[in-house]
Amino acid sequence: MVVGAESENLLSRAGRTLTHMKALEAESIHIIREVAAEFEKPVLLYSIGKDSSVLLRLAQKAFFPGKIPFPLLHIDTTYEYPEMIQFRDEYSARIGADLRVGLNDAAVAAGANPYALGTQKCCGLLRTRALVETLAKGGYDAALGGARRDEEKSRAKERVYSFRDAQGQWDPKNQRPELWNLFNGRIDKGESIRVFPLSNWTELDVWLYIHLDQIPIVPLYFAKERPVVLRGETVIPYVDGVKLLPGEAPVMVKCRMRSLGCTPCSGAIRSEADTLPGIIEELIAFRRSERENRVIDHDEEGSMETKKREGYF
Amino acid sequence: MPAVEAGFTIEEFLKRAEERDLLRFSTAGSVDDGKSTLIGRLLYETKGAFEDQIASIKNSKYSRAASGPFDFALLTDGLKAEREQGITIDVAYRFFQTATRKFIIADTPGHEQYTRNMATGASTADLAIILIDARLGVLPQSRRHATISALLGIPHIVVAVNKMDLREWSEEAFRAIEAEFRPFLASLGITAPHFIPISALYGDNIVTRGEQSGWYTGKTLLETLESVPVGRDRTADPFRLPVQIVLRPNQDFRGFAGQIASGTIRRGDPVMVLPSGRTSRVKSIVTYDGNLDEAFAPMSVTIELEDHVDVSRGEMLVGAAAPPHVARTVEARLVWMDEEPLEEGKEYLIKHTTQMARARVVRIAGRLDVVAGRESAAVSLRLNDIGTVVLEANRPLLFDAYRRNRSTGSFVLIDPIRNGTSGAGMIEEPRQTARQRDRTALRDHHVSPVTQAERFVRNGHVPATVVVQGKPDLAMRLERALFELGALVFVRAEPSGDLLAAGALVILCPRQAGAFCVDVPGVKSVEIDPAVLPADPDEAVEAMIARLEHDGVLLKHVSFEPGEGI
């Protein structure tokens, strides 16, 4: 070994930093691998939305050239847009992922819907209850999700590893300190950890990453002429399951979804953005909370925190 | 703030956005010192500032409003409100970006009872903003924040002297605070702090230069945040990759996946696996986006080695020329985060890099008075205490001192019953004068044409001291047996730095326990308690050899035929 050459090497090796996207990617991959290594039965909660799409790509990267070593779980409320379900099935098959679907059979059979129950109760049954029960039934001890700290006030303090008791409940006063990149995944039987690898990503980061990595997303995110129902300021795509109120009729409007959810509860926005740069430009121009158009967060002050305590993501 | 240029297209915006780097910083403060106002001001003034430059939206109604007195604290959660609502006072993470950087703020409360939170926020920070109220000057809280920032190894410190408007922008007042605080910071090893006079309320010297502080010619707070180097450069440090998971998608592929903790690795580079000491070369650096010729910290990669080597989670790929310390006993600074105090003799789980082991508290060496910066004797550490402890793990830890390497020098202690995270530790450089000498002897070999790793392979073992207490006959038998296995082995009355540097196994045979210290950095130390050995001398020797294999002193899978190189 020539000593001079070695020290020159070391010098030329110094001084590099990652771009923020690459730094976030490396951090998220580290988190996802920790989960695969430390838990017996992890699962990735796949909501089909843009954040889930990024999470899924990161999971692919974490285990490449192998496949993702845990299943994807979608909680089906039976009210999702058909394009979402189609995308879910096609994409998970294409990447060779093991897709599981969970739903609250009893509530679906009983005809749970937001019109009769109100959005809170409906969500409680079809999402939260379905999630908690599916996780418990499946014996999953860790569930990876795409939530971000910038989404909403109550999430700014969320841990990367969020401890849930045997009922799947979140206790904000009983969360573990998290230092460096050392995560504590110790749990007793029945307890679980929700893991948020995208904690430090912002909405702009998510879109930028989708753009840079050319990650496939549900076509509903792109603007297109679609049949909609106009209800006050809200633009509701007109699909099966959307009930017309007296005096309403569907019209064609060029619009897109900013966030995906159930047909009765997620609004579209009028938009011309039919490319990823277009979407990002629009995002910057609006700078509205991405959940503004989701009815559920308006139901009661701090409703997100209430739902989280109950086990919602 | 960078001058607003002529508008650019969304494509140009995306290109610039892609090239931004990432800086994490922490803030600490109480309700009254203007921390929330400062953060609110930063979020408010940077929000959209860069983005507004996109030509098409430049004149939109969403561009930022003129700045002026405004309750910027409204943009963040008030601590007061949190306290009233009984919500945990905790670290909150917030985000903003400028043309060149994305920022992550770890926003933490500043009072004594929140030391735990401050340490949490500081653990990943590249920079800390210490906020001082210009009317009140340096408070115990300022010292506490500085001490914790130094302890957690934050590379850059900004002292923001706030509420300068209430001191009529007096340079004298600012300089007095600086003169008082600078020596204290220096005593903590913080040699190049940035002092900035600001008014968070009016926005002076935050993003834009204050009109009333003409005497201040330094950078604004945001200019400082945008210009400091991100973190400490870890790419030139010795290579460390703690293995998280072994990927074996098929018979032909065996990849060791993990995040590079420090250093740079290239295809073809020699690496050593610890604790086994096996060496090999990097066959490929695999990522989803294609194989790489080189990778550096903090990238997450998967490494394939040229040889078939057994490596498991918790083990580490390292540069053979500068391996980390390998020892079961470590001395560390510890921030205690649990309601139940830490006491000598208690057992915890230690999570260190990707390894989980059991650890016993051997000794509490002292408790730190955070404000005075002094340590005094203690028998326990309570919630929010910081102290120095000696821990003994049931397995060897592969570590560097925290001040050299934040990743391989940090750990958390976990309560084995309640599962909570009880403490956060920063490992100290092993200290002993004899060790320093031996270390130098070991380091001298870096310039040799024969690498340490090659010596390990030829000898079939790593250099180590083996203590066989009070049984000279067993020590002699062990020497003979190891010699016949091809080992470079000697029985000696005391540790020999030269022999260890040459890669030897040194068997020591003191009359009583702890007769001398044999914990040499980078050299394994195995203590054999004769009481647990079989009575039959041959069986006893076999048991000792098995122990040396188990502890990674004797290398498995390596032929002991003399003369066989790599």
Side-chain angles (χ1 to χ4, degrees):
Chain A
M1 189 203 299
V2 183
V3 176
E6 174 69 9
S7 35
E8 208 172 81
N9 265 347
L10 283 176
L11 282 180
S12 69
R13 287 176 179 199
R16 267 152 320 164
T17 50
L18 294 178
T19 64
H20 84 285
M21 288 287 22
K22 283 288 170 192
L24 289 176
E25 179 189 78
E27 173 183 287
S28 301
I29 289 174
H30 171 85
I31 294 163
I32 294 167
R33 285 170 170 170
E34 280 299 282
V35 172
E38 287 202 309
F39 290 89
E40 282 180 18
K41 208 174 174 193
V43 67
L44 186 150
L45 293 177
Y46 178 61
S47 75
I48 321 177
K50 64 182 195 305
D51 305 289
S52 275
S53 296
V54 168
L55 185 60
L56 193 51
R57 171 60 58 90
L58 291 167
Q60 285 179 275
K61 291 193 177 191
F63 306 108
F64 180 84
K67 287 191 174 146
I68 300 172
F70 38 73
L72 316 186
L73 174 64
H74 176 236
I75 297 300
D76 194 342
T77 63
T78 70
Y79 285 103
E80 279 93 355
Y81 290 93
E83 282 136 297
M84 291 168 66
I85 302 302
Q86 191 190 344
F87 180 89
R88 176 194 76 186
D89 294 342
E90 284 175 10
Y91 192 62
S92 56
R94 171 145 49 108
I95 64 169
D98 170 13
L99 174 74
R100 316 269 172 95
V101 176
L103 80 174
N104 185 344
D105 305 274
V108 171
N113 69 73
Y115 307 105
L117 299 171
T119 57
Q120 270 213 21
K121 205 163 178 186
C122 185
C123 251
L125 286 169
L126 295 184
R127 273 190 206 286
T128 311
R129 207 60 252 150
L131 173 63
V132 171
E133 277 172 11
T134 309
L135 290 178
K137 219 183 291 167
Y140 299 113
D141 52 358
L144 292 144
R148 308 186 316 270
R149 283 171 175 152
D150 84 321
E151 273 178 53
E152 205 255 346
K153 255 190 197 171
S154 77
R155 284 198 166 141
K157 297 173 186 180
E158 181 61 282
R159 303 296 198 271
V160 173
Y161 271 37
S162 176
F163 175 79
R164 305 298 166 106
D165 65 18
Q167 279 71 50
Q169 292 178 81
W170 178 69
D171 178 359
K173 291 184 184 171
N174 190 23
Q175 294 297 314
R176 298 166 178 176
E178 263 173 8
L179 295 97
W180 303 289
N181 60 356
L182 296 171
F183 302 107
N184 175 359
R186 290 268 302 181
I187 46 171
D188 288 332
K189 202 166 166 51
E191 296 169 344
S192 63
I193 304 278
R194 302 277 172 90
V195 183
F196 305 115
L198 304 185
S199 285
N200 288 325
W201 295 53
T202 61
E203 187 181 15
L204 182 61
D205 294 331
V206 166
W207 281 116
L208 196 56
Y209 194 72
I210 290 172
H211 171 63
L212 294 173
D213 249 54
Q214 293 298 306
I215 298 173
I217 50 170
V218 181
L220 284 166
Y221 281 116
F222 296 102
K224 191 178 120 177
E225 293 275 346
R226 294 187 167 90
V228 299
V229 181
L230 301 175
R231 194 170 289 165
E233 292 295 302
T234 313
V235 181
I236 301 170
Y238 184 63
V239 294
D240 283 350
V242 173
K243 290 182 187 167
L244 293 176
L245 301 180
E248 282 180 347
V251 290
M252 293 299 283
V253 167
K254 190 161 188 186
C255 63
R256 65 178 205 89
M257 309 293 292
R258 288 196 67 207
S259 65
L260 302 181
C262 296
T263 49
C265 291
S266 38
I269 51 164
R270 291 169 192 270
S271 169
E272 297 293 323
D274 49 11
T275 62
L276 285 168
I279 289 173
I280 293 171
E281 193 169 2
E282 187 186 271
L283 165 78
I284 290 162
F286 282 108
R287 275 290 170 194
R288 286 180 186 156
S289 160
E290 65 183 327
R291 294 182 173 272
E292 198 171 333
N293 287 299
R294 279 176 78 161
V295 184
I296 60 169
D297 285 346
H298 294 296
D299 271 5
E300 101 185 18
E301 189 67 25
S303 70
M304 182 61 85
E305 187 151 340
T306 314
K307 274 204 289 295
K308 267 178 66 177
R309 283 171 188 266
E310 290 164 357
Y312 185 76
F313 243 70
Chain B
M1 196 67 208
V4 176
E5 316 156 14
F8 43 67
T9 64
I10 182 69
E11 285 73 24
E12 286 162 342
F13 168 84
L14 292 173
K15 187 87 195 96
R16 289 182 188 212
E18 181 190 342
E19 285 161 3
R20 281 193 289 232
D21 58 13
L22 176 62
L23 187 96
R24 299 165 199 258
F25 68 91
S26 69
T27 58
S30 63
V31 183
D32 308 314
D33 61 15
K35 180 181 61 104
S36 296
T37 306
L38 174 67
I39 293 173
R41 171 65 75 170
L42 271 175
L43 296 182
Y44 177 80
E45 294 221 11
T46 54
K47 183 156 268 177
F50 167 48
E51 293 156 0
D52 282 352
Q53 294 174 42
I54 297 175
S56 58
I57 61 161
K58 200 176 178 200
N59 298 316
S60 85
K61 59 180 170 164
Y62 302 104
S63 61
R64 69 204 169 103
S67 55
F70 163 73
D71 190 0
F72 291 102
L74 288 177
L75 293 174
T76 59
D77 291 342
L79 286 175
K80 206 178 262 177
E82 291 179 10
R83 204 173 285 154
E84 278 161 10
Q85 290 166 27
I87 299 173
T88 328
I89 300 195
D90 214 328
V91 187
Y93 294 88
R94 306 178 198 287
F95 310 86
F96 69 95
Q97 46 251 310
T98 66
T100 56
R101 272 196 177 155
K102 167 179 167 138
F103 296 93
I104 300 178
I105 313 177
D107 179 14
T108 65
H111 282 312
E112 185 174 19
Q113 66 208 92
Y114 309 127
T115 295
R116 164 172 75 167
N117 305 78
M118 256 190 273
T120 300
S123 71
T124 51
D126 305 303
L127 179 147
I129 298 178
I130 299 174
L131 211 53
I132 291 181
D133 186 326
R135 296 169 305 172
L136 305 174
V138 179
L139 297 177
Q141 183 177 304
S142 324
R143 295 176 193 273
R144 180 175 303 115
H145 191 189
T147 304
I148 291 167
S149 299
L151 189 69
L152 272 290
I154 300 181
H156 308 285
I157 303 291
V158 170
V159 181
V161 181
N162 191 25
K163 304 194 183 181
M164 284 298 294
D165 50 301
L166 297 178
R167 294 295 305 266
E168 284 79 43
W169 287 97
S170 155
E171 179 176 9
E172 203 178 301
F174 174 74
R175 296 292 171 212
I177 289 170
E178 182 177 355
E180 182 184 352
F181 206 32
R182 202 176 266 280
F184 180 76
L185 295 176
S187 75
L188 297 171
I190 301 168
T191 49
H194 306 261
F195 280 82
I196 308 176
I198 63 166
S199 164
L201 188 62
Y202 292 95
D204 301 74
N205 296 337
I206 308 282
V207 172
T208 48
R209 197 153 286 284
E211 284 168 19
Q212 298 166 85
S213 57
W215 48 266
Y216 175 73
T217 53
K219 288 178 172 150
T220 64
L221 179 60
L222 190 66
E223 282 167 355
T224 308
L225 293 174
E226 282 192 309
S227 62
V228 298
V230 173
R232 208 187 91 166
D233 181 17
R234 289 183 280 161
T235 57
D237 288 345
F239 177 68
R240 307 275 186 263
L241 181 124
V243 174
Q244 283 187 279
I245 190 164
V246 181
L247 301 179
R248 298 208 61 185
N250 56 57
Q251 289 297 322
D252 303 325
F253 188 91
R254 180 193 287 260
F256 306 112
Q259 187 170 19
I260 301 174
S262 62
T264 300
I265 193 79
R266 286 188 180 148
R267 196 155 45 87
D269 276 356
V271 290
M272 181 163 64
V273 181
L274 287 178
S276 77
R278 267 307 299 264
T279 59
S280 184
R281 286 180 186 275
V282 175
K283 181 178 163 194
S284 59
I285 303 168
V286 179
T287 77
Y288 179 93
D289 301 300
N291 286 9
L292 305 175
D293 284 332
E294 70 167 12
F296 52 90
M299 291 165 75
S300 283
V301 294
T302 298
I303 290 188
E304 256 191 306
L305 298 179
E306 281 181 0
D307 307 279
H308 187 89
V309 187
D310 265 334
V311 186
S312 325
R313 174 176 167 84
E315 300 187 346
M316 202 183 281
L317 305 184
V318 306
H325 303 293
V326 182
R328 290 197 300 125
T329 303
V330 294
E331 185 177 82
R333 306 300 282 277
L334 194 66
V335 179
W336 198 242
M337 307 181 147
D338 196 338
E339 301 280 356
E340 284 198 18
L342 172 106
E343 283 155 8
E344 287 180 4
K346 276 196 180 175
E347 281 218 11
Y348 293 89
L349 295 168
I350 181 168
K351 188 169 185 187
H352 171 255
T353 68
T354 55
Q355 183 168 227
M356 187 87 97
R358 294 197 162 269
R360 192 171 56 87
V361 182
V362 177
R363 196 159 61 86
I364 298 173
R367 179 173 52 220
L368 182 69
D369 179 332
V370 180
V371 175
R374 276 191 302 272
E375 247 187 29
S376 53
V379 292
S380 69
L381 293 182
R382 293 190 298 182
L383 180 65
N384 292 313
D385 278 351
I386 295 172
T388 302
V389 300
V390 177
L391 300 174
E392 186 184 42
N394 67 339
R395 279 210 294 268
L397 301 177
L398 316 167
F399 67 94
D400 297 283
Y402 182 79
R403 65 187 172 82
R404 292 181 190 278
N405 195 320
R406 272 170 118 178
S407 294
T408 56
S410 56
F411 63 85
V412 293
L413 291 183
I414 296 168
D415 186 296
I417 308 294
R418 293 170 298 134
N419 296 337
T421 302
S422 298
M426 291 138 281
I427 304 175
E428 299 271 291
E429 192 80 66
R431 50 168 177 188
Q432 269 142 13
T433 47
R435 293 179 187 188
Q436 295 299 336
R437 192 184 63 230
D438 296 331
R439 187 185 178 83
T440 313
L442 281 172
R443 283 277 160 94
D444 284 346
H445 286 258
H446 299 171
V447 297
S448 162
V450 181
T451 66
Q452 284 292 345
E454 287 171 311
R455 287 176 209 283
F456 298 171
V457 172
R458 169 170 293 183
N459 294 337
H461 56 79
V462 298
T465 55
V466 183
V467 180
V468 185
Q469 192 194 310
K471 293 276 183 188
D473 52 326
L474 276 184
M476 301 295 185
R477 279 172 181 267
L478 180 62
E479 182 185 28
R480 185 70 219 175
L482 287 170
F483 177 76
E484 282 169 12
L485 283 173
L488 184 62
V489 59
F490 303 87
V491 174
R492 279 290 178 274
E494 56 185 63
S496 156
D498 285 344
L499 282 178
L500 290 167
L505 281 178
V506 178
I507 302 175
L508 302 163
C509 192
R511 278 172 209 278
Q512 69 230 32
F516 40 70
C517 181
V518 291
D519 191 8
V520 182
V523 171
K524 285 173 186 280
S525 174
V526 178
E527 289 175 41
I528 291 173
D529 179 1
V532 304
L533 293 173
D536 178 73
D538 289 336
E539 285 176 22
V541 168
E542 263 177 49
M544 288 190 284
I545 288 175
R547 168 77 189 278
L548 294 178
E549 280 182 356
H550 176 265
D551 284 5
V553 171
L554 291 181
L555 308 182
K556 293 175 207 167
H557 324 292
V558 174
S559 165
F560 290 128
E561 286 300 312
E564 187 181 297
I566 294 177

